[in-house]
Amino acid sequence: MNRNQVRPQRRHATPSRIERVRRQAVPKPRVIIALLLLLGLVSVMLLDGYLRAEVGNDQRVRSDASASKVPDSVLDGGPFLSFQGGTARTRSVPDKTIVLTFDDGPDPEWTQKVLDILDDNDVPGTFFLVGSMISRYPDVVRRMVDDGNEVGVHTFTHVDLSYQSAARVTREIAQTQLALAGAAGITTTLFRAPYSSTNDAIDNYSWPVYKKLGAMGYTSVFIDTDSEDWQQPGVSKIIKWATPKSGKGASVLFHDAGGNRAQTLEALPQYIKKMKSKGYTFTTVSGAQQQAQGQQAQGQQAQEQQTQAPQVTPGTAGSTQQSNPEQAAHRTADTATLWEGRALLGAVAVAEWTVPGLAAVLAVVGVAVLGRFAMMLVLARRHYRQRNRRRFSWGPSVTEPVSVIVPAYNEKECIANTLNSLAASTHPIEIVVVDDGSTDGTAEIAESLGLPNVRVIRQPNAGKPAALNNGVRHARYDIVVMMDGDTVFEPDTVQRLVQPFGDPEVGAVAGNAKVGNRTTMIGAWQHIEYVMGFNLDRRMYDLLRCMPTIPGAIGAFRRDAVLGVGGMSEDTLAEDTDITIALHRAGWRVVYAEHARAWTEAPASLGQLWRQRYRWSYGTMQALWKHRKSVTDRGPSGRFGRVGMPLVVLFQIVTPVFAPLIDVFTVYAMIFVDFKASLLAWLAVLLVQLVCAGYAFRLDRERYRYLLMLPLQQIAYRQLMYLVLIHSCVTAATGGRLRWQKLKRTGEVGTPAPGTGAR
């Protein structure tokens, strides 16, 4: 809801009245729907942020921890670590054998090119995949497996597991397995910890993790040689560092993601050709383990042959071990895991499409909002200079008496202050109090004051539009001023308000409503909102000749103009917006008199504020929908449809609906992208708003001290207004109806002293 929309408070209607107009209370499920929509978007963004955890730094949390609890056989052993019966066992890569391992993928660009190189050279690789990357690029994983390569777990977010809780370790592994199942229908028994490198990297912090994973059936894979391609040292150094010494076998580390891998792509085919020329063969981790196990079995058989009769030939034993499917690292995912994995990939796909799309939309919204701020400042400045020219005049001075209509329903706390302020008016007026079936003695209080030119008209409770129409019918003068029973005028308010009627084209005039009870935090927030709305938005709309609303707290009309459009309509909950648009369409000009001030009592609690703004925003939507055909009106009567309607829809409905997401994206960027840059961007936007608010306060001659509440208003109050608007949109979309409501008043806004002004 835009902050310049200051509207009157609705009066209660009798049950029969409510039934007749078919306005029902909003069902609570609609509130739940609105909150669920926001929660869903937040969840999608959190998932997207979780998936985009940083990969590729290749740094451990610590590098100097003790390894006193790690067996020497492990620290000095081969790169393949497994546990059998709780006992750690390592295996080495057979001589003249290379196991190409790749970390940090899959990547849609680099991994695909690595796979092309492997295919061209007819060698397999073992890829240790990051679960978040699998979730984002499942097609790459599918190709990887179909091409005969092997895959292993490299955690879900590339975190150093050595210093994580047991629950986090389990979650990182399980989520990666789900992603694998969803992408390729498999799980794996291979694992490589981020930042693990060689066996001697195991320390007292990481050893329990390896033991835990070993008990779960995982083989932890380390390396013998490191190409250190992540440092981008140059192609020759990558090849040199990846080459094992003295014909030994090696588990070699490359990277297929996590940064620019152009040097890796250039070095890899040269490295493969070099090693093949030296008589090396290439295999996967499982293939190397099978070879090592076969060689071990052959050695054991040779020893047994020396002591006893042979049981089986070495060739048979080796063949049996290599053909045993239990030695393969891949497992077919069970049905439950398969569908859970597909669900994960589906959620990720939604996030992958939704977040960038929303980011693009919000970028447009952000530019539009900043553009609006700029336009308001420029036009407000122009409006101020135009109205303060010495030669500016609306036409002949308006001196004839006017009728002031005061609809009142149970206003015993405020009615005396309201009428006493009118009695001090410097312009000749008659006061028509229309008592709308009050039960608290409002009419009696008005009569007991004994003020001159006050008439009290009683009617059965029928609602505010009916009360205003009744007042217009009883008005004696051609100009009628409408106000609320909880509002007070300054002595010169009426005089300043009616001067624009010196121009015969003017059919209605909006005044400047101000918050009287601004001593509380809620009151101060609304005070800032009102000052900005009335001194920026309304000045802009005035110059553009598309004023959307004459506020119910202070507005003046030509009596004939009101009657000509059928009076105050009961079709919407925003009769003030409704009649304003109707007057535009009838060809009348609607203007703003910034010096005609009214002091109103704003809601004093969050509950009352929610009900008021909920009704306002919903009523605005009703009025816009009712007058949707104004966009096709021609001539002056169609100006609101061509200019005002798009502005109101864009800046009072569309951008506020998306505005909460801007805040959510700011938090998202602070957590997952760049905290400092995101904070500076938020502060920059706040500075723009502060400049706009400061200029609005200057135009209205307000005290700047209230602007100290602006940051907190942006954090707390603005979010409430966003939720109100979203709630209203859900209600409108689902066809809900609202009933009139009466807010509790205290009467604390008294009659302003002459010359008080904005101070």
Side-chain angles (χ1 to χ4, degrees):
M1 180 63 197
N2 192 283
R3 297 166 182 167
N4 74 324
Q5 296 290 339
V6 179
R7 299 197 176 88
Q9 309 309 316
R10 300 287 186 183
R11 308 305 190 253
H12 279 299
T14 61
S16 59
R17 179 68 177 170
I18 296 173
E19 182 178 358
R20 184 170 69 84
V21 298
R22 298 170 59 191
R23 289 174 178 144
Q24 302 173 352
V26 179
K28 290 183 179 180
R30 291 193 175 94
V31 181
I32 298 175
I33 292 174
L35 293 176
L36 287 177
L37 287 174
L38 186 59
L39 178 61
L41 288 173
V42 171
S43 299
V44 167
M45 294 177 64
L46 289 175
L47 174 60
D48 186 75
Y50 184 53
L51 294 172
R52 296 177 188 276
E54 188 175 2
V55 174
N57 279 340
D58 287 305
Q59 295 179 3
R60 300 198 67 180
V61 176
R62 299 178 190 171
S63 59
D64 58 350
S66 171
S68 60
K69 299 180 181 180
V70 185
D72 292 339
S73 60
V74 172
L75 294 175
D76 300 329
F80 308 143
L81 171 64
S82 59
F83 287 77
Q84 294 181 0
T87 301
R89 175 178 294 181
T90 64
R91 285 196 174 93
S92 299
V93 180
D95 293 342
K96 289 289 185 175
T97 304
I98 295 293
V99 176
L100 289 176
T101 68
F102 299 88
D103 280 6
D104 297 348
D107 180 273
E109 177 184 2
W110 305 114
T111 303
Q112 294 278 28
K113 293 178 179 179
V114 167
L115 291 173
D116 290 339
I117 293 172
L118 297 181
D119 286 347
D120 292 342
N121 290 273
D122 194 26
V123 298
T126 301
F127 293 81
F128 290 92
L129 307 178
V130 178
S132 60
M133 302 290 284
I134 298 172
S135 302
R136 294 165 62 190
Y137 309 113
D139 292 343
V140 181
V141 179
R142 207 168 292 122
R143 177 196 170 181
M144 190 181 292
V145 174
D146 291 343
D147 286 354
N149 299 287
E150 200 163 47
V151 298
V153 172
H154 200 44
T155 75
F156 196 84
T157 60
H158 202 268
V159 64
D160 188 347
L161 296 181
S162 303
Y163 312 101
Q164 306 301 323
S165 67
R168 174 71 183 272
V169 172
T170 302
R171 186 167 66 249
E172 289 280 336
I173 303 301
Q175 289 174 342
T176 306
Q177 293 283 28
L178 283 179
L180 265 178
I186 63 168
T187 60
T188 181
T189 60
L190 300 182
F191 169 79
R192 173 176 283 164
Y195 323 114
S196 59
S197 64
T198 57
N199 293 48
D200 57 12
I202 304 174
D203 55 34
N204 292 343
Y205 291 95
S206 58
W207 180 238
V209 176
Y210 291 113
K211 292 175 66 176
K212 174 182 176 67
L213 292 173
M216 296 169 62
Y218 285 94
T219 296
S220 295
V221 180
F222 297 89
I223 61 172
D224 295 296
T225 60
D226 187 352
S227 70
E228 297 193 32
D229 59 341
W230 61 274
Q231 296 189 51
Q232 302 183 44
V235 173
S236 61
K237 287 186 177 181
I238 291 175
I239 295 173
K240 177 182 178 181
W241 292 341
T243 303
K245 297 179 180 179
S246 305
K248 292 184 178 181
S251 170
V252 185
L253 174 62
F254 289 91
H255 292 81
D256 64 319
N260 187 321
R261 301 306 177 210
Q263 291 186 8
T264 302
L265 294 178
E266 186 177 351
L268 185 58
Q270 297 181 36
Y271 174 77
I272 293 173
K273 292 177 181 178
K274 174 184 176 182
M275 301 313 295
K276 282 186 175 181
S277 68
K278 290 186 174 184
Y280 277 81
T281 60
F282 291 82
T283 186
T284 62
V285 170
S286 292
Q289 285 185 296
Q290 289 175 357
Q291 291 179 31
Q293 189 172 1
Q295 291 176 358
Q296 183 180 7
Q298 289 178 4
Q300 291 176 349
Q301 281 188 338
Q303 292 179 355
E304 292 174 354
Q305 286 176 351
Q306 295 177 0
T307 58
Q308 59 183 9
Q311 300 296 320
V312 293
T313 63
T316 304
S319 175
T320 302
Q321 292 292 339
Q322 290 183 7
S323 63
N324 187 350
E326 292 300 321
Q327 297 298 317
H330 294 175
R331 303 285 186 271
T332 301
D334 59 60
T335 303
T337 303
L338 180 65
W339 284 104
E340 288 177 16
R342 290 176 178 175
L344 172 62
L345 296 190
V348 171
V350 171
E352 286 286 288
W353 283 96
T354 301
V355 174
L358 283 176
V361 171
L362 293 181
V364 174
V365 171
V367 171
V369 170
L370 292 176
R372 175 174 177 253
F373 279 131
M375 183 170 64
M376 286 192 303
L377 285 176
V378 171
L379 295 183
R381 174 64 176 169
R382 182 178 174 185
H383 185 277
Y384 172 79
R385 298 183 66 178
Q386 182 185 90
R387 294 294 172 84
N388 284 274
R389 292 175 183 169
R390 292 184 179 181
R391 296 182 179 180
F392 176 79
S393 173
W394 289 106
S397 179
V398 177
T399 58
E400 60 267 25
V402 301
S403 300
V404 180
I405 302 172
V406 185
Y409 174 76
N410 288 345
E411 299 284 3
K412 68 176 182 179
E413 296 87 1
C414 307
I415 193 64
N417 288 338
T418 298
L419 298 181
N420 284 326
S421 72
L422 291 174
S425 175
T426 58
H427 193 90
I429 61 173
E430 70 156 346
I431 305 170
V432 181
V433 179
V434 183
D435 183 74
D436 188 35
S438 298
T439 58
D440 66 348
T442 296
E444 288 74 13
I445 294 174
E447 291 173 334
S448 68
L449 296 175
L451 297 175
N453 299 323
V454 174
R455 285 186 290 150
V456 177
I457 300 173
R458 290 177 170 84
Q459 68 175 37
N461 182 256
K464 184 174 182 180
L468 289 172
N469 288 332
N470 198 2
V472 170
R473 287 192 295 270
H474 285 82
R476 295 171 179 163
Y477 303 111
D478 294 334
I479 297 175
V480 294
V481 174
M482 299 181 185
M483 65 182 300
D484 286 339
D486 51 32
T487 301
V488 297
F489 281 3
E490 295 177 5
D492 62 352
T493 295
V494 175
Q495 181 182 7
R496 292 178 179 273
L497 185 64
V498 299
Q499 293 311 306
F501 289 110
D503 183 345
E505 294 183 357
V506 173
V509 182
N512 185 356
K514 307 187 69 60
V515 175
N517 54 330
R518 58 181 72 171
T519 56
T520 64
M521 182 178 294
I522 296 177
W525 286 341
Q526 293 176 83
H527 171 52
I528 296 173
E529 181 184 39
Y530 276 45
V531 172
M532 291 186 68
F534 278 95
N535 288 279
L536 296 180
D537 286 73
R538 287 191 185 279
R539 290 177 186 269
M540 175 185 71
Y541 285 125
D542 193 1
L543 278 184
L544 296 177
R545 295 197 175 190
C546 57
M547 186 77 64
T549 302
I550 300 293
I554 176 171
F557 303 83
R558 292 190 189 274
R559 185 171 181 271
D560 291 343
V562 174
L563 295 176
V565 296
M568 309 299 288
S569 174
E570 299 179 4
D571 294 339
T572 73
L573 294 175
E575 76 287 330
D576 43 12
T577 299
D578 192 346
I579 194 170
T580 303
I581 300 176
L583 290 173
H584 279 295
R585 300 186 69 185
W588 291 101
R589 185 180 174 189
V590 181
V591 301
Y592 174 48
E594 66 274 15
H595 298 300
R597 298 187 180 92
W599 296 75
T600 188
E601 183 177 339
S605 70
L606 290 177
Q608 292 186 5
L609 180 64
W610 179 285
R611 290 192 293 272
Q612 182 196 66
R613 300 310 173 87
Y614 182 27
R615 187 178 63 252
W616 286 5
S617 59
Y618 186 71
T620 298
M621 294 177 195
Q622 288 179 310
L624 293 175
W625 181 253
K626 175 181 176 180
H627 294 282
R628 61 190 181 278
K629 293 184 179 179
S630 65
V631 296
T632 60
D633 291 345
R634 298 182 178 180
S637 62
R639 185 172 182 81
F640 180 83
R642 296 190 302 271
V643 181
M645 179 77 79
L647 286 176
V648 173
V649 171
L650 178 61
F651 293 119
Q652 294 186 27
I653 298 177
V654 176
T655 54
V657 165
F658 284 99
L661 298 181
I662 295 179
D663 295 327
V664 173
F665 260 84
T666 301
V667 176
Y668 165 88
M670 287 181 178
I671 296 174
F672 298 110
V673 184
D674 188 323
F675 177 83
K676 184 177 180 180
S678 302
L679 179 61
L680 289 176
W682 185 83
L683 291 175
V685 174
L686 180 63
L687 179 61
V688 171
Q689 293 177 308
L690 184 61
V691 170
C692 293
Y695 186 62
F697 271 59
R698 178 184 176 187
L699 292 178
D700 216 20
R701 300 178 60 194
E702 280 287 354
R703 299 185 186 277
Y704 295 112
R705 66 187 183 192
Y706 290 101
L707 294 180
L708 295 174
M709 301 294 294
L710 184 62
L712 188 57
Q713 184 203 45
Q714 297 303 303
I715 295 173
Y717 180 80
R718 189 175 65 170
Q719 314 309 319
L720 177 66
M721 296 300 99
Y722 293 158
L723 292 176
V724 167
L725 183 60
I726 293 173
H727 188 186
S728 301
C729 289
V730 173
T731 302
T734 54
R737 295 282 184 175
L738 292 176
R739 65 165 180 250
W740 292 323
Q741 297 174 355
K742 174 71 168 66
L743 300 183
K744 182 179 180 181
R745 297 300 179 185
T746 63
E748 62 181 293
V749 181
T751 305
T756 299
R759 302 290 182 177

